[in-house]
Amino acid sequence: MTPPTCRVCGTPLRTFLDLGDHPPSSAFPTPAEALAGAGDTVRYRLAAGACERCALVQLTGDVPHEHRPYAGYPYHSSGSSVMREHFRRTARRLLRTELHGKGDAFAVEIGCTDGVVLRTVAEAGVRHLAFEPSGYSGYHGARVHRAFLTADSAREAVAAEGRARVVYAANTVCDIADLPGLFAGLDELLAADGVFVFEDPYFGEIVRRTAFDQFYDEHRYYFTATSVRALAERFGFRLVGVERLPVHGGQLRYTLARAGRRTPAPAVAGILAEEEAGGLTDPAALAAFAGRVDRVRSDLVALLEGLRAADRTVAGYAATAKSCTVTTYCGLGPSLVPYICDSTPAKHGRLTPGARIPVRPPAAFAAPYPDYALLFAWNHADEIMAKERAFRDGGGRWILYVPEVHVV
Ligand code: TMP
Ligand code: ZN
């Protein structure tokens, strides 16, 4: 078998994590489909490698497109008030900085967040467009170009709207298979001094928190400032800004401008130096990370088996994509986690991918509470624990597995 190669530069990847065979993370079968042996039967190898040349961390395998059940399906926003506020603030900042005083500015978003950014931009009277192949946008008045951003679709948009001051993407670039195609689109779409601003889970935080559940099919890349700098430069851009974001378990927001147009902010050199000093993608650091991941699995299984032996009741909280990685890698099924409560109506009455744990509505998480709740949406922990205060007040305990297995 030929070794996997970097999707961007073609150099062989150094695989550092192999979590085994996994189902697509959003394949929630109905009980009838599961009985018929259908619904979540595809498997792909969930393994990650780092490029020896451009340092880009990426999945080595892939779910074939025809088996990505979510392709063309609307994304169901998490309904997180923290995330809504995050996107509102983001839009206001873009309006104050990149879009301010630029005449008839034009802003583009790629991928579908829950629409808060575009809505806020539109409410300020700024022209906007979303590039979203599924046609979906959480903002109903949004103008949507039903296509990936590529050179061709960008030229069409520019012919109709002119060039964009800002292109923004949240939790989207990490899932774009064709990054050269994306940059060809940006080159067509962006004004000479326009910027591309995007945010995704930060590999440095994944390592720091041993957050192995950030690895799943919809996250192909795990960016660092170092790898984004190399990526930008390969396509005629520069990394000119970087900002740490507390959301979703630790993200970085990158600002890219065309080469020679802007001076990088001091924070860029700072984080590049930090990544270099910490040896973020050095083989020894990655091997240590893989060792810690293995430890989390054995600790979590031991804890849940101990609770079952002691007749304590357990429920899962939030049937996230991350939970698919955890249940599959750790071999958790209904005998250890009998059900998972989740706020997404489309998941109710279905089974989780692979593990086939029944998903129940949030109303099922109520008195009499289980003794323990395994929190798969740990990235929303503060918000969820505040909302579910009655659970803890009644003696319930949360199980968390990031950065290590612990009970609170
Ligand atoms: P994500 O925002 O990390 O993608 O997680 C979204 C999933 O978590 C989705 O399945 C909904 C679920 N969820 C809840 O069930 N309750 C909550 O309060 C939140 C914030 C998310
Ligand atoms: Zn590479």
Side-chain angles (χ1 to χ4, degrees):
M1 218 178 83
T2 51
T5 54
C6 175
R7 284 173 177 277
V8 174
C9 78
T11 304
L13 297 176
R14 212 177 337 99
T15 300
F16 62 86
L17 188 70
D18 185 346
L19 301 176
D21 293 333
H22 287 237
S25 63
S26 57
F28 285 76
T30 62
E33 285 168 340
L35 265 179
D40 61 342
T41 51
V42 174
R43 292 291 183 276
Y44 72 104
R45 192 72 173 186
L46 182 55
C51 176
E52 309 242 6
R53 180 157 169 231
C54 73
L56 183 56
V57 175
Q58 52 201 283
L59 294 190
T60 60
D62 206 356
V63 180
H65 186 76
E66 63 274 25
H67 292 301
R68 292 181 63 144
Y70 43 86
Y73 282 60
Y75 168 81
H76 298 282
S77 98
S78 66
S80 157
S81 59
V82 172
M83 291 311 299
R84 278 196 297 277
E85 186 49 34
H86 168 75
F87 287 127
R88 206 170 290 129
R89 255 202 316 267
T90 299
R92 284 200 210 106
R93 176 117 73 85
L94 292 175
L95 286 165
R96 249 192 345 262
T97 55
E98 303 300 336
L99 296 165
H100 182 71
K102 303 274 167 53
D104 182 23
F106 172 44
V108 168
E109 180 167 12
I110 53 178
C112 41
T113 58
D114 46 13
V116 175
V117 171
L118 281 184
R119 185 195 304 261
T120 309
V121 162
E123 281 168 1
V126 171
R127 280 184 305 128
H128 72 274
L129 185 68
F131 278 81
E132 173 47 58
S134 77
Y136 170 82
S137 164
Y139 161 37
H140 292 298
R143 301 173 61 229
V144 180
H145 196 51
R146 199 184 253 266
F148 286 104
L149 176 57
T150 62
D152 285 346
S153 64
R155 272 191 291 268
E156 263 179 62
V158 170
E161 311 278 353
R163 294 200 176 226
R165 315 287 329 175
V166 176
V167 176
Y168 173 75
N171 304 303
T172 298
V173 182
C174 67
D175 190 30
I176 294 180
D178 180 13
L179 290 180
L182 168 71
F183 276 90
L186 288 169
D187 195 32
E188 293 287 339
L189 183 58
L190 274 176
D193 59 349
V195 288
F196 176 42
V197 179
F198 70 99
E199 58 200 64
D200 283 295
Y202 177 40
F203 186 64
E205 284 295 328
I206 293 174
V207 170
R208 193 173 71 81
R209 301 180 196 222
T210 314
F212 67 96
D213 59 349
Q214 295 275 16
F215 290 91
Y216 55 87
D217 48 358
E218 294 171 54
H219 288 168
R220 291 170 199 271
Y221 308 102
Y222 305 84
F223 296 116
T224 60
T226 305
S227 59
V228 168
R229 175 181 59 177
L231 182 68
E233 291 181 1
R234 188 179 179 87
F235 297 106
F237 288 80
R238 289 285 177 278
L239 176 62
V240 298
V242 66
E243 184 187 352
R244 290 176 193 275
L245 306 174
V247 298
H248 280 314
Q251 300 205 317
L252 277 193
R253 175 181 292 159
Y254 309 92
T255 301
L256 273 47
R258 293 183 191 274
R261 302 297 303 208
R262 291 202 191 189
T263 308
V268 174
I271 199 148
L272 288 170
E274 184 187 304
E275 289 180 0
E276 167 100 39
L280 190 50
T281 54
D282 287 352
L286 297 178
F289 168 67
R292 293 197 302 276
V293 172
D294 194 54
R295 172 71 190 273
V296 169
R297 168 169 62 176
S298 38
D299 287 354
L300 184 58
V301 170
L303 173 65
L304 293 171
E305 286 180 344
L307 293 174
R308 181 177 58 186
D311 282 331
R312 311 310 298 271
T313 53
V314 176
Y317 197 102
T320 54
K322 293 186 204 66
S323 76
C324 178
T325 295
V326 177
T327 55
T328 307
Y329 172 62
C330 300
L332 311 181
S335 77
L336 288 174
V337 183
Y339 61 96
I340 302 181
C341 295
D342 190 281
S343 59
T344 314
K347 294 178 184 175
H348 300 159
R350 291 179 175 261
L351 306 173
T352 63
R356 299 192 163 173
I357 298 171
V359 183
R360 297 190 184 164
F365 195 72
Y369 284 108
D371 298 317
Y372 291 83
L374 175 54
L375 183 55
F376 291 112
W378 55 267
N379 49 314
H380 301 296
D382 290 347
E383 182 175 352
I384 289 172
M385 288 183 186
K387 184 167 70 180
E388 304 288 5
R389 192 170 300 128
F391 165 62
R392 241 187 137 264
D393 288 350
R397 291 290 174 265
W398 293 102
I399 300 172
L400 290 132
Y401 50 83
V402 171
E404 58 194 2
V405 176
H406 61 291
V407 173
V408 294

